[in-house]
Amino acid sequence: MTVTVSAGLSDLRSFLHGLPGVDKVGVEARAAALATRSIKTDAKAKAIDLAIRMVDLTTLEGADTPGKVRALCAKARRPDPADPSCPSVAAICVYPAMVKVAAEALAGSEVHLASVATAFPSGQAPLAVKLADTRDAVAAGADEIDMVISRGAFLAGDYTKVFDEITAVKEACGSAHLKVILETGELGTYDNIRRASWLAMLAGADFIKTSTGKVAVNATLPITLVMLEAVRDFRERHGRIIGVKPAGGIKTTKDAIKYLVLINETVGDDWLDPDRFRFGASSLLNDLLMQRTKLTTGHYAGPDYFTLD
């Protein structure tokens, strides 16, 4: 089935509700089983560097200042100033008001600049406000936009509204990539997560993202598994690769490696790339750096060796 921007509510509903149901017990059991996998030391070193390259280093607080953002950008470019072999992170993620500051601090680097938009984190604003938010962030230098869907509209079954908002924001992005935040912790069921994933991809998302990090339930392995299965199936049907970004609650190297195993076993090597998978995180990077130091030097750096984010 091909869904267009002008598709009617009944067309979207019939397609989305025609998707196979998610086996809750099966998904949770598979995620739990994959989480027990271990990797060898040499593979762990490569996994840590890959995970660092996948981090969207994030600060989304009301108390954010230009100084804090500049410091975070410096860390994104050189996560470990004492070790030039340490890779840069994938991106910095900030509020639209901080995009100009971040763009200046990241100039000349390969670190992407992401900005949350569309009335993050609630998504409760008129479409005109969301589009202006997006355009302003792109004009200030963002090359990635993380938008939030209207969960109220989705849960009310108004799929056309959600679809049309995503397509409008995608257009407002211009050349910037669009990550669509589903806020999976508010969607209630795995079936809804699968439907929202497909809806976002059909509407033009470049990435689908679990969460804002501002609700009680954020990224989990079973939720991410459902989303990975959705992007796998979407590729088989439409021939286009969509990225996945779990965000919120991923704090340790062990956590990150569990997600890398999940990717490898579910969608394969094509998604083991920062252009196809990201971690939305703040504290994760420090743990990755401490574990990396342990592998290279044989001992842990002190807890205050790396900057706090």
Side-chain angles (χ1 to χ4, degrees):
M1 175 183 178
T2 300
V3 181
T4 65
V5 176
S6 59
L9 175 59
S10 60
D11 295 328
L12 277 171
R13 180 180 295 278
S14 62
F15 176 77
L16 296 175
H17 284 266
L19 292 169
V22 178
D23 176 359
K24 180 178 184 293
V25 173
V27 162
E28 292 178 351
R30 177 161 174 76
L34 291 175
T36 64
R37 298 278 181 91
S38 59
I39 62 175
K40 296 179 180 178
T41 301
D42 58 341
K44 184 176 181 181
K46 293 178 181 177
I48 288 173
D49 276 8
L50 177 58
I52 291 172
R53 292 170 50 227
M54 289 175 164
V55 168
D56 279 5
L57 192 56
T58 302
T59 183
L60 296 170
E61 303 297 335
D64 286 344
T65 64
K68 180 180 180 181
V69 170
R70 291 188 191 100
L72 206 65
C73 290
K75 184 171 183 176
R77 297 176 69 148
R78 290 286 302 274
D80 184 353
D83 184 355
S85 72
C86 183
S88 301
V89 304
I92 283 286
C93 186
V94 296
Y95 277 118
M98 291 293 168
V99 169
K100 185 177 180 180
V101 172
E104 292 171 352
L106 293 174
S109 76
E110 296 183 356
V111 178
H112 291 285
L113 174 48
S115 180
V116 295
T118 64
F120 178 95
S122 71
Q124 296 282 9
L127 179 58
V129 173
K130 296 179 179 182
L131 296 180
D133 204 23
T134 300
R135 294 189 188 104
D136 287 349
V138 172
D143 63 349
E144 298 179 356
I145 294 294
D146 289 26
M147 73 165 287
V148 288
I149 66 167
S150 298
R151 281 87 73 196
F154 179 88
L155 292 171
D158 194 350
Y159 302 135
T160 299
K161 178 179 178 180
V162 180
F163 184 95
D164 289 346
E165 283 197 350
I166 295 171
T167 58
V169 173
K170 174 64 175 174
E171 183 178 358
C173 283
S175 61
H177 283 190
L178 176 63
K179 305 192 200 88
V180 177
I181 306 169
L182 309 180
E183 199 67 294
T184 53
E186 294 185 344
L187 296 185
T189 67
Y190 292 128
D191 284 343
N192 275 343
I193 293 168
R194 175 169 286 174
R195 291 179 190 125
S197 296
W198 272 87
L199 178 56
M201 293 187 291
L202 289 166
D206 297 299
F207 265 74
I208 51 175
K209 177 178 172 181
T210 60
S211 325
T212 61
K214 304 295 186 181
V215 297
V217 179
N218 293 293
T220 68
L221 288 170
I223 285 171
T224 305
L225 175 56
V226 171
M227 294 170 66
L228 287 170
E229 290 175 342
V231 299
R232 178 198 63 199
D233 296 345
F234 185 86
R235 182 194 192 183
E236 289 178 0
R237 182 174 296 202
H238 294 278
R240 189 161 70 93
I241 294 181
I242 307 298
V244 176
K245 178 180 173 180
I250 305 170
K251 298 181 181 300
T252 69
T253 300
K254 287 183 179 179
D255 292 338
I257 289 175
K258 288 176 183 178
Y259 280 91
L260 296 181
V261 170
L262 190 70
I263 298 166
N264 187 62
E265 296 296 325
T266 308
V267 291
D269 288 350
D270 284 345
W271 272 267
L272 287 171
D273 186 295
D275 288 337
R276 276 75 180 271
F277 194 87
R278 300 280 183 84
F279 293 109
S282 52
S283 59
L284 171 62
L285 180 58
N286 273 3
D287 193 74
L288 290 167
L289 294 173
M290 286 190 288
Q291 295 297 329
R292 189 178 191 275
T293 299
K294 173 64 163 60
L295 287 177
T296 56
T297 68
H299 58 82
Y300 286 106
D304 57 350
Y305 180 80
F306 299 108
T307 59
L308 297 178
D309 305 321

